[in-house]
């Protein structure tokens, strides 16, 4: 195992692509961006921050053997897939899909005029070859205001409304001039992303778009004002 680490990734250090209808930031290798030294962080394989123009989106495309979680920051996300599921997710809501043995889906901005701002995250599954599944869930701002809202988890000891097969947890928070603490088990990987605002994480000042990668750090203290997205994952062999 590597030694404990706390590494900052500034917003401008991410890969950025301007497709006109899509403004995309990739924290890890994805699509045309490939860096063999930046493939994943523990079980977290993809962390993309996307802004999608009104009425635009991703046409039907396939996935398999990946846990896909999308957290909507602003706007309305419309989903359709080959399993017959469809729905719209608004700000603070989550869409989750286990691609399993294979699924095709499309994701579009449901509003013809206003932009859609989201983060899409892929987690390497704990079990492969499972039947694909889909779900979505809405949350209130009060559910995450000045507290860690554990939305998604596969950890037996963590209570979360959305379950995945990997031993990982997604927590979000909206902090307003307060301090939050998150404690980790030994030899865990963590990824903290600042979606909005300015915060201080273990003494390091972070702004919108910045992130921190932690390994084997027992305690994360965050204070300030902003929207936070945090993954707690195991190592991957």
């Amino acid at each position: 195992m590597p030694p404990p680490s706390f590494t900052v990734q500034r917003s401008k250090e991410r890969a950025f692509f301007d497709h006109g209808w899509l403004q995309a930031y990739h924290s890890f290798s994805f699509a045309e961006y490939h860096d063999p030294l930046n493939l994943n962080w523990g079980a977290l394989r993809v962390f993309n921050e996307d802004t999608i123009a009104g009425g635009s989106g991703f046409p039907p495309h396939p996935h398999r053997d990946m846990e896909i979680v999308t957290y909507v920051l602003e706007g309305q996300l419309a989903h359709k897939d080959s399993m017959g599921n469809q729905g719209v997710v608004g700000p603070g809501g989550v869409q989750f899909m286990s691609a399993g043995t294979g699924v095709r889906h499309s994701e579009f901005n449901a509003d013809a005029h206003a932009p859609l701002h989201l983060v899409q995250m892929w987690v390497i599954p704990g079990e492969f070859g499972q039947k694909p599944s889909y779900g979505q869930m809405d949350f209130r701002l009060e559910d995450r205001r000045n507290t860690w809202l554990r939305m998604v988890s596969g950890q037996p000891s963590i209570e979360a409304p959305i379950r995945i097969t990997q031993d990982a947890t997604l927590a979000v928070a909206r902090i307003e001039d307060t301090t939050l603490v998150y404690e980790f088990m030994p030899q865990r990987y963590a990824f903290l992303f600042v979606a909005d605002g300015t915060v201080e994480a273990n003494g390091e000042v972070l702004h919108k778009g910045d992130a921190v990668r932690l390994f084997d750090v027992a305690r994360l203290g965050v204070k300030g004002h902003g929207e936070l997205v945090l993954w707690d994952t195991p190592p991957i062999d």
Side-chain angles (χ1 to χ4, degrees), residues 148 190-194 201 206 210-212 214 220 222 228-230:
W148 288 114
F191 185 85
L192 173 71
F193 176 73
V194 181
L206 305 173
D210 292 346
V212 176
L214 305 89
L220 174 65
V222 185
L228 307 176
V229 181
L230 175 66

Side-chain angles (χ1 to χ4, degrees), residues 5-10 148 173 175 178-182 184 190-214 217-230:
S5 63
F6 183 98
T7 305
V8 176
Q9 181 187 44
R10 297 297 177 186
W148 288 114
I175 62 171
T178 191
T179 299
L180 288 183
V181 173
Y182 196 105
F184 302 96
F191 185 85
L192 173 71
F193 176 73
V194 181
D196 186 45
T198 298
V199 303
E200 187 176 307
N202 283 12
E204 186 76 41
V205 177
L206 305 173
H207 304 285
K208 179 180 179 181
D210 292 346
V212 176
R213 304 180 190 204
L214 305 89
V217 173
R219 181 183 184 276
L220 174 65
V222 185
K223 65 180 180 179
H225 191 285
E227 185 80 19
L228 307 176
V229 181
L230 175 66

